[in-house]
Amino acid sequence: MKWVPVTSPFHSVFVAHLLFFASRVSFFFGGALFSAIFFRHLPELDAFPPLAQAFVKSVYVAATLFGLFCYSLELDRFGKAMERRPPERSE
């Protein structure tokens, strides 16, 4: 994140705020996804799956949630880049 600068094709505070909103809303979808998976499989918890299968599925869900987290961070970075105006050059 330090070495790859985010550049914006144009600068707009309104569009930047829309990107900030989209970055926050993506967490709602991640929470809804986790809740849907958890409550869908809650009745099946009386018989546990094999440990390897449960581990693989848990890693898959955690990786998906981490991907959504990274996506929201990138939207936030792009929104900040779009909100900022480049410094004016004085010559």
Side-chain angles (χ1 to χ4, degrees):
M1 290 180 62
K2 290 181 182 181
W3 297 291
V4 180
V6 178
T7 58
S8 172
F10 62 93
H11 297 281
S12 169
V13 174
F14 178 71
V15 176
H17 279 87
L18 287 177
L19 286 171
F20 291 141
F21 178 73
S23 111
R24 299 320 190 269
V25 166
S26 69
F27 265 72
F28 295 143
F29 292 121
L33 172 72
F34 179 76
S35 298
I37 290 172
F38 181 76
F39 288 122
R40 162 65 179 91
H41 295 288
L42 186 64
E44 299 169 2
L45 286 181
D46 56 349
F48 288 109
L51 186 60
Q53 182 183 11
F55 178 74
V56 168
K57 287 183 179 185
S58 299
V59 167
Y60 180 71
V61 170
T64 304
L65 290 174
F66 182 72
L68 284 170
F69 170 73
C70 293
Y71 175 72
S72 71
L73 279 181
E74 289 300 313
L75 278 177
D76 203 37
R77 283 181 64 202
F78 188 53
K80 287 177 185 175
M82 190 168 284
E83 191 175 42
R84 277 188 290 225
R85 292 253 179 222
E88 296 293 325
R89 290 180 143 186
S90 60
E91 294 179 35

